[in-house]
Amino acid sequence: MSEQVQMDVLAYGSRMIHWAPLGKLLFTFSLLILALVSDNIFVPIITFCIGLGLMAYSTNFRLPSIIGLAILEAILIMTIGCGMVSILGDPSEPAVLLSGTSELLWIDIHITANSFNHAWLIMFRAVAGVTLMLSFASSTPIPHIAYALSQLKIPKEVIEIVVLVYRYAFLLLERAEVMWNAAKCRLGFNGARRSMSTTAGILVNVFITSLEIAERSQPALESRNYVGSFPIYRMPNKVGLYWAMVTAMVCTALYIFGYFAPSPNMAAIILGAV
Amino acid sequence: MHIMEGYLPWQWCLVWFIIALPIVFFGIKKITQVIRENPEQKMIIALSGAFIFLLSSLKLPSVTGSSSHPTGTGLSAVLYGVSCTAFLATIVLVFQALLLAHGGITTLGANIFSMGIAGPAAAFFIWHALRRAKVGVPVSMFFAALVADLVTYIVTALQLTLAFGNATGYGTAFIDFMTIFAVTQIPLAFIEGIIFSMFAKYLADTRPQIFGLEPKCEEAASA
């Protein structure tokens, strides 16, 4: 079963499928923005918990393997990215991990309490963002996203392109994977020069195949009464005032909490720095 | 070279959204007009977006809160122009953020600007300058893809410097981000340039009309 189909199955099987797509979108974006605006580490930690809770409710954490791998890869990027923020401390502040400014290759390493705390803040924001975005994506099939976009009065041509890009992206990924495996079986990646030539050949074939699919798809869809949108047989709920109220209440409560509660000092907790 | 969710301060997220949105809106207007006038073009446009998705999903982690990958936007800019590429890149970046945790929603404006606008614009100008100078399709495509990749990475390094350079000094931070990116991105840019040069050669041989070239004699005779 393809990854796109797995993602669609996951979304159609979600307990949150009937929730208003526009409401979920509003809630997710508001929490992402709130986690970004607040400087208190507790706020992204709480938004992370909300995202995790929604993901658990929506999917029981049954994510397709490719999505799981992508998340692990994203966490690796986040970790090294936050490491970079922590070593770019203000040289006028005292270092907390190494005794003064050290060098790794050409980079000056200067970890201060502020840069270390900032790195953790960014890490929690990033992880919270991933769980929130995935809770939305894993509970909202693409026709529902298109429906939400239409409620925002976005031109129907744009919505159609969004839906078609989603469908064809996974189709091309599958084609590329088949060609990649076939080339590998024929020792097409034996040596750097041959690898590049093979990769170029695969890309051309995928591109030409995509043009052929484009030429065939239009009449094929039209012959099935396609008029620019894919139908939804069980419509999700419409966004109501309660979505705005719930979002506003959660965001206000979190903002007030973040404003008044002291942010945890990660440098003191982890490194024992005062 | 997608900057991850939560990595940029909100002020910079806002600035990059304000800069990117007008160009994306222009792209939307242009694509809407093209589809209304030639409905058969929509499948090709959608598949170009899917092709960008495919290429930019092949990522390598980079030590800067970002990742290195081929952009694929150089080809799209050459074939469809900068504003259309900006719009297609926006769709691709939203899907990658939502489905693959690659990039982010609050950093979308910054990512659109680097990958969907700055890189493609540089590729577009290089391609047209070289083609006017009668340089062949494969060589022109090599430089277009190379420059698109390099400009995207320079702009991403600049975005990260503006966000995090105030503590160490902007010059030092820019050099740090550029050099760290360079480890993965410069070889990748050359590889992408070579691959797209071969790609353009194959494409010019099999579908010359895509680049506005005349078919070869034997093809013309058989046609």
Side-chain angles (χ1 to χ4, degrees), chain A residues 188 191-203, chain B residues 194-195 198 202:
Chain A
R193 199 171 163 184
R194 186 170 294 169
S195 296
M196 278 199 262
S197 173
T198 303
T199 309
I202 290 171
L203 292 181
Chain B
I194 293 167
I195 286 173
M198 292 174 171
Y202 287 135

Side-chain angles (χ1 to χ4, degrees), chain A residues 27-273:
Chain A
F27 186 73
T28 304
F29 286 5
S30 304
L31 284 183
L32 286 178
I33 291 167
L34 184 77
L36 196 65
V37 169
S38 176
D39 286 334
N40 191 325
I41 292 180
F42 277 130
V43 174
I45 291 175
I46 295 168
T47 52
F48 165 69
C49 294
I50 292 172
L52 210 61
L54 287 174
M55 259 176 71
Y57 179 69
S58 169
T59 66
N60 290 332
F61 296 116
R62 285 174 309 185
L63 290 173
S65 55
I66 196 169
I67 308 291
L69 283 173
I71 294 170
L72 288 177
E73 205 177 356
I75 289 171
L76 174 68
I77 292 170
M78 286 167 201
T79 309
I80 49 189
C82 293
M84 187 72 189
V85 172
S86 73
I87 65 170
L88 283 176
D90 189 341
S92 63
E93 293 174 13
V96 291
L97 189 56
L98 301 164
S99 53
T101 302
S102 312
E103 273 196 7
L104 176 67
L105 299 175
W106 59 89
I107 304 165
D108 292 337
I109 297 176
H110 190 78
I111 303 174
T112 65
N114 278 338
S115 67
F116 193 77
N117 286 333
H118 192 201
W120 275 102
L121 176 66
I122 290 173
M123 184 73 190
F124 282 119
R125 279 175 182 167
V127 176
V130 170
T131 55
L132 281 169
M133 288 188 295
L134 271 173
S135 69
F136 172 76
S138 63
S139 65
T140 316
I142 198 73
H144 289 202
I145 295 177
Y147 172 67
L149 293 176
S150 69
Q151 285 184 311
L152 292 171
K153 308 288 177 205
I154 290 176
K156 67 177 177 29
E157 290 85 359
V158 172
I159 298 169
E160 196 180 349
I161 291 289
V162 170
V163 175
L164 291 173
V165 167
Y166 174 80
R167 286 178 178 270
Y168 289 134
F170 286 94
L171 191 70
L172 293 193
L173 275 171
E174 280 171 37
R175 299 254 166 169
E177 196 183 353
V178 169
M179 289 181 196
W180 200 274
N181 289 338
K184 214 171 169 182
C185 292
R186 297 185 181 97
L187 303 178
F189 297 102
N190 194 8
R193 199 171 163 184
R194 186 170 294 169
S195 296
M196 278 199 262
S197 173
T198 303
T199 309
I202 290 171
L203 292 181
V204 171
N205 280 322
V206 170
F207 190 75
I208 290 173
T209 309
S210 74
L211 289 176
E212 285 168 0
I213 293 169
E215 283 162 8
R216 284 200 310 262
S217 293
Q218 183 66 20
L221 283 171
E222 277 172 5
S223 68
R224 293 179 178 87
N225 294 330
Y226 175 71
V227 285
S229 63
F230 293 94
I232 306 173
Y233 296 106
R234 295 181 70 183
M235 290 295 271
N237 295 333
K238 284 191 173 175
V239 65
L241 193 62
Y242 56 91
W243 270 106
M245 282 168 63
V246 167
T247 305
M249 275 164 57
V250 171
C251 288
T252 309
L254 268 176
Y255 185 80
I256 292 170
F257 175 77
Y259 190 79
F260 289 106
S263 182
N265 185 347
M266 300 303 283
I269 295 168
I270 296 172
L271 304 176

Side-chain angles (χ1 to χ4, degrees), chain B residues 100-119:
Chain B
L100 302 176
H102 185 187
I105 296 296
T106 57
T107 54
L108 188 64
N111 289 330
I112 293 170
F113 185 77
S114 62
M115 199 182 105
I117 296 170

